[in-house]
Amino acid sequence: MTIVSEDSKDRAPEPTGKAGKASGAAQGGARGPGGPPLRYRIITRSLLAVAAVYFLVPVYWLVVSATKSSEDLFGSFGFWFADPHPLRYLGDLLAYDDGIYVRWFGNSLLYAGVGAVAATLLSAAAGYALAKFPFPGREGIFNLVLAGVLIPGTALALPLYLLFSEMGLANTYWAVLIPSVVSPFGVYLCRIYAAAAVPESLLEAARIDGAGEGRIFATLALRLMTPALVTVFLFQFVHIWNNFFLPLVMLSDSDLYPIQLGLTGWQGYADRQPVLYQYTVGGAFLSVLPLMILMGVLQRYWRTGLTEGSVK
């Protein structure tokens, strides 16, 4: 005697044999195993391809233009090579005006490297303290930090210049380095990440074992906050490297210029010295290489740092 349940009556029979395999393949092609429908994947990849082309075309133009002379920059097709001699042109760039470009490059590395490291450490200490130490006015201080994120740096350049002029630090390395070590966004990110990634139980265990707060921060908190610290370092390095307005206000000696300010000065004199067009393009090409290398090396930490706090 066979008992047929109501559920089995309502359920449609599944196709078997070749028809069933064809139906499964069609469904898998339309949706994919556990993924979105095919049309959504096509739209997403198409948009990503368009975005990639949009961002990579200027880089390609810069690579091509760095191999051209000043005459070829204006007399040949912009997106293809014309009598390329990249090593010769880059050598002329590095030797021009007693190697001033090399000095600008070193200045940019100094400003961005030292400023980003100092800003990362200060942001880590401030964010950790705001996340793990209750004290009166903590939320008010954090709200001031959030307000600092909203204030553009250009609005603070002139007051900073007046302040540094009174202190005798204008037109020095310190005039660019000291403002670069302050990162309200870094403090905000480190506070959010420390609250999520540094467990209180681990800190209490370290205190019971006799570790001081400084040792706990240096040996435990910094290691657990590594993804966020790498993210802060990367953002601050790129910000300082591309910063133009602050050095423009603070510096008057060309030996202290960073790359961005120096290349802008060359571009202003290019009408009287056409060779500076080629040097400016070549210098711009060399200036993006450190950012490309840094982004490629720290990319995985950057992605983790952006999402880890929200996931936890």
Side-chain angles (χ1 to χ4, degrees), residues 109-173:
L109 288 177
L110 174 66
Y111 295 142
V114 175
V117 171
T120 302
L121 294 177
L122 289 177
S123 298
Y128 175 77
L130 289 172
K132 296 302 178 181
F133 295 102
F135 55 88
R138 181 177 67 171
E139 293 303 321
I141 294 176
F142 184 64
N143 291 333
L144 288 177
V145 172
L146 292 180
V149 176
L150 303 177
I151 299 176
T154 54
L156 301 176
L158 185 58
L160 285 174
Y161 173 76
L162 297 177
L163 177 62
F164 279 88
S165 296
E166 291 294 330
M167 300 171 60
L169 296 177
N171 196 35
T172 65
Y173 286 108

Side-chain angles (χ1 to χ4, degrees), residues 136 249 280:
V249 173
T280 301

Side-chain angles (χ1 to χ4, degrees), residues 240-299:
I240 300 172
W241 186 272
N242 293 327
N243 194 1
F244 169 80
F245 192 70
L246 180 65
L248 176 65
V249 173
M250 291 292 186
L251 304 177
S252 58
D253 186 358
S254 61
D255 289 339
L256 303 179
Y257 285 179
I259 290 179
Q260 309 301 332
L261 188 56
L263 293 180
T264 303
W266 276 359
Q267 188 177 8
Y269 288 103
D271 291 337
R272 285 172 284 180
Q273 293 179 281
V275 70
L276 292 179
Y277 282 118
Q278 197 278 327
Y279 292 163
T280 301
V281 173
F285 168 70
L286 292 181
S287 70
V288 302
L289 294 181
L291 300 183
M292 295 173 63
I293 295 173
L294 197 64
M295 187 70 70
V297 172
L298 301 180
Q299 177 179 330

Side-chain angles (χ1 to χ4, degrees), residues 116 120 228-240 291 294-296 298-299 301-303:
T120 302
L229 301 184
V230 173
T231 304
V232 174
F233 173 81
L234 180 60
F235 281 11
Q236 193 68 6
F237 188 95
V238 174
H239 169 71
I240 300 172
L291 300 183
L294 197 64
M295 187 70 70
L298 301 180
Q299 177 179 330
Y301 295 104
W302 176 66
R303 290 199 304 263

